[in-house]
Amino acid sequence: MSWRPTYRSSKFRNVYGKVANREHCFDGIPITKNVHDNHFCTVNSKFVAVVTESAGGGAFIVMPVSQSGRLDSHHPKVCGHNGNVLDIKWNPFCENIIASCSEDTSVRVWEIPEGGLRRNMTEAVLELYGHSRRVGLIEWHPTSSGILFSAGYDYKILIWNLEIGEPVKMIDCHTDVILSMSFNTDGSLLATSCKDKKLRVIEPRSGRVLQQASCKNHRVNRVVFLGNMKRLLTTGVSRWNTRQIALWDQEDLSMPIVEEDIDGLSGLLFPFYDADTHMLYLAGKGDGNIRYFEITTEKPYIQYLMEFRSPAPQKGLGVMPKHGLDVAACEVYRFYKLVTLKGLIEPISMIVPRRSDTYQEDIYPMTAGTEPALSASEWLSGIDRDPVLMSLKDGYQRPNQVVFKVPVKEKKSVVVNGIDLLENVPPRTENELLRMFFRQQDELRRLKEELTTKDIRIRQLELELNNLKNVSPNNA
């Protein structure tokens, strides 16, 4: 029997979390009190966006990353939604474009001016309607520009082609609310977790379910693809109500490769995976700590490294893309932690301690950049490409910006899979509700009149038929 040491050498063994100084935090933020299980925060190298409390609809604020400190109480907001904003995500290829989804059943795309907002923004560059209930999740495609996924409480996932401003596919295989979505590296596969206790791997262009797991012992909440390892990691709850993580083979979901209990707390566990360092971060909603692990292809697969501790509970966490990190400080990951009680956004840097000031190539391999690998039409035609990689050695050099073109929309109906999605969109204002009510009353009146006319016509035809039957025997 071979002896395996319990200690495993790793260059990330001593990674530690460093909280930014108070002057580098964002203070006075009216963070939303919504209990929806999302992060309510998204970050890129230019801006931090956070969903906020607002009266009479949904809103979020956008602040330049460099302008930390106390927020002005009259800071402008993005406030075009008619219901609470449930999710926001920056476009990975165009850093001024952000998408949002809301309880008003809409998905909207906004263009933030350079330097941030100077006045309230109410007009989106694109308003996308197709869901019949509130929309809880949105995700940008990882390699294709102009492809956006949205998941609603109508149990459907819509794929939007923003080049034409219309949905091009509806994935309709879920039987309950979709809890999370995650793409593999080239965006050819989509993993979803659902409230129906099933984990699915889907081919998004066809909507075909390739693999499905019924998670009875491990109730899945969140799922994430582990880069090119052909593995999935899920967080969930065991049958004894302990928080748990599970590792799966994406080509065989019959049984998890390994399950590991974390603790007995009740908050939802959010997983974050860094494909460059193969590190997994686990942050519980309402916890103050962040655990981190290293993922390997050999047993024990999940190696515990360390834990960042903080007394302040987190509402959600935004993550800075790789090209926004400080490579001179050996920073490999950065969270933006929402602390609701203090109205605070706190940057937390994960740092590899190194003595040398030179560029550390072993912890900064070539990483996914800000240039799309293919267009929306290319991806929809069946082409898959890996992300366009970039080096962080010479600092982040922004390539030619992808220009977001607003499509000219003329169609009044949105037909996907033979269903007109706009027929079922609920009204968004009281005036729309009244117009819809009177229109339906007119429609009902017209249909009743038509039905009465047809009933009279049917009786006339029945009488004529009886007369013909009576005449024919007499002639015989």
Side-chain angles (χ1 to χ4, degrees):
M1 180 174 163
S2 63
W3 177 78
R4 179 182 289 275
T6 54
Y7 174 80
R8 179 178 168 275
S9 175
S10 168
K11 57 191 163 193
F12 303 110
R13 183 90 196 161
N14 297 310
V15 169
Y16 66 94
K18 181 182 178 183
V19 180
N21 296 330
R22 187 73 182 199
E23 61 265 24
H24 293 120
C25 295
F26 298 84
D27 202 358
I29 313 292
I31 299 167
T32 180
K33 295 181 174 62
N34 196 308
V35 295
H36 192 70
D37 286 330
N38 266 346
H39 294 295
F40 301 111
C41 178
T42 183
V43 187
N44 64 21
S45 64
K46 285 185 177 182
F47 301 108
V48 179
V50 186
V51 180
T52 60
E53 282 290 291
S54 63
F60 59 94
I61 56 173
V62 176
M63 303 161 289
V65 167
S66 56
Q67 293 180 15
S68 52
R70 187 156 192 88
L71 186 77
D72 181 9
S73 59
H74 300 294
H75 191 280
K77 296 180 179 180
V78 180
C79 49
H81 281 288
N82 298 312
N84 291 327
V85 176
L86 298 181
D87 199 10
I88 48 175
K89 294 277 167 58
W90 288 108
N91 186 324
F93 309 114
C94 192
E95 297 196 306
N96 291 60
I97 298 296
I98 187 169
S100 62
C101 63
S102 165
E103 289 182 348
D104 65 7
T105 75
S106 74
V107 177
R108 302 190 187 202
V109 179
W110 312 83
E111 185 168 13
I112 307 300
E114 285 293 332
L117 298 175
R118 293 170 184 81
R119 61 183 65 86
N120 282 354
M121 181 177 280
T122 55
E123 293 296 322
V125 293
L126 264 181
E127 294 185 17
L128 307 171
Y129 294 102
H131 287 283
S132 58
R133 295 181 68 188
R134 59 182 172 165
V135 188
L137 286 172
I138 46 174
E139 288 289 344
W140 292 93
H141 193 273
T143 61
S144 170
S145 61
I147 293 288
L148 182 67
F149 284 62
S150 64
Y153 276 63
D154 51 7
Y155 314 156
K156 294 175 176 60
I157 296 174
L158 292 181
I159 304 175
W160 303 89
N161 179 357
L162 302 187
E163 290 178 359
I164 60 172
E166 300 289 351
V168 290
K169 179 68 187 174
M170 180 170 65
I171 300 172
D172 193 13
C173 59
H174 299 86
T175 59
D176 211 323
V177 176
I178 298 140
L179 300 175
S180 69
M181 300 187 284
S182 177
F183 290 99
N184 64 345
T185 306
D186 64 1
S188 60
L189 294 176
L190 174 69
T192 64
S193 60
C194 183
K195 217 170 179 180
D196 63 9
K197 300 179 184 176
K198 289 183 180 176
L199 172 66
R200 295 174 175 87
V201 175
I202 301 165
E203 203 291 306
R205 281 174 294 229
S206 66
R208 189 162 53 94
V209 179
L210 304 178
Q211 291 288 329
Q212 181 171 292
S214 294
C215 309
K216 294 177 181 175
N217 297 333
H218 169 79
R219 298 197 302 276
V220 173
N221 285 324
R222 292 293 183 272
V223 60
V224 64
F225 264 104
L226 300 181
N228 285 323
M229 285 186 174
K230 295 196 171 180
R231 300 275 168 85
L232 295 167
L233 185 123
T234 59
T235 65
V237 182
S238 72
R239 63 168 74 180
W240 295 281
N241 283 336
T242 57
R243 294 197 295 191
Q244 199 177 53
I245 58 174
L247 189 68
W248 307 78
D249 181 347
Q250 74 178 38
E251 294 174 354
D252 180 15
L253 298 184
S254 56
M255 283 286 289
I257 298 168
V258 63
E259 289 180 353
E260 192 168 318
D261 287 343
I262 301 299
D263 56 32
L265 300 178
S266 58
L268 178 72
L269 272 179
F270 291 113
F272 302 88
Y273 181 68
D274 181 1
D276 297 341
T277 60
H278 305 297
M279 284 180 68
L280 170 75
Y281 301 87
L282 291 181
K285 186 178 179 182
D287 298 359
N289 60 343
I290 300 172
R291 297 176 177 88
Y292 33 107
F293 305 77
E294 191 170 9
I295 305 293
T296 60
T297 53
E298 300 173 355
K299 286 185 178 180
Y301 303 115
I302 302 171
Q303 183 76 32
Y304 174 76
L305 294 174
M306 214 177 286
E307 183 176 351
F308 165 81
R309 291 179 176 272
S310 166
Q314 57 228 4
K315 167 87 172 180
L317 294 159
V319 174
M320 175 64 77
K322 279 283 178 173
H323 58 261
L325 300 180
D326 183 1
V327 295
C330 296
E331 184 184 33
V332 290
Y333 217 71
R334 191 192 303 162
F335 292 103
Y336 284 76
K337 172 178 170 177
L338 303 188
V339 185
T340 313
L341 298 175
K342 298 180 181 178
L344 188 70
I345 304 176
E346 198 174 59
I348 302 168
S349 298
M350 295 295 169
I351 295 172
V352 180
R354 294 281 172 97
R355 289 181 181 175
S356 173
D357 292 333
T358 58
Y359 180 72
Q360 308 290 318
E361 290 197 26
D362 59 329
I363 62 174
Y364 294 115
M366 296 286 282
T367 188
T370 58
E371 190 180 334
L374 65 171
S375 67
S377 52
E378 285 175 324
W379 182 77
L380 290 167
S381 68
I383 301 171
D384 290 316
R385 289 196 196 118
D386 286 331
V388 178
L389 301 180
M390 63 183 285
S391 170
L392 302 178
K393 185 171 185 177
D394 302 320
Y396 169 51
Q397 300 295 325
R398 187 172 288 112
N400 294 330
Q401 281 285 76
V402 176
V403 179
F404 185 79
K405 295 179 181 176
V406 181
V408 179
K409 298 174 73 173
E410 295 178 355
K411 293 196 297 182
K412 296 296 182 185
S413 62
V414 178
V415 180
V416 178
N417 295 4
I419 301 169
D420 187 352
L421 298 178
L422 292 185
E423 280 187 355
N424 300 316
V425 175
R428 296 177 295 280
T429 64
E430 191 175 345
N431 285 337
E432 281 188 28
L433 180 66
L434 286 170
R435 281 200 299 272
M436 185 176 280
F437 172 75
F438 290 126
R439 194 163 58 243
Q440 286 178 344
Q441 291 295 312
D442 290 340
E443 182 83 2
L444 283 170
R445 197 177 299 109
R446 185 183 62 78
L447 288 171
K448 282 180 180 177
E449 289 173 358
E450 195 174 320
L451 194 61
T452 306
T453 307
K454 287 185 177 178
D455 279 343
I456 293 168
R457 181 61 181 154
I458 286 168
R459 283 200 293 273
Q460 287 176 345
L461 289 171
E462 283 176 346
L463 285 171
E464 288 179 14
L465 189 61
N466 285 332
N467 289 336
L468 285 171
K469 283 179 182 176
N470 292 333
V471 168
S472 53
N474 292 335
N475 291 338

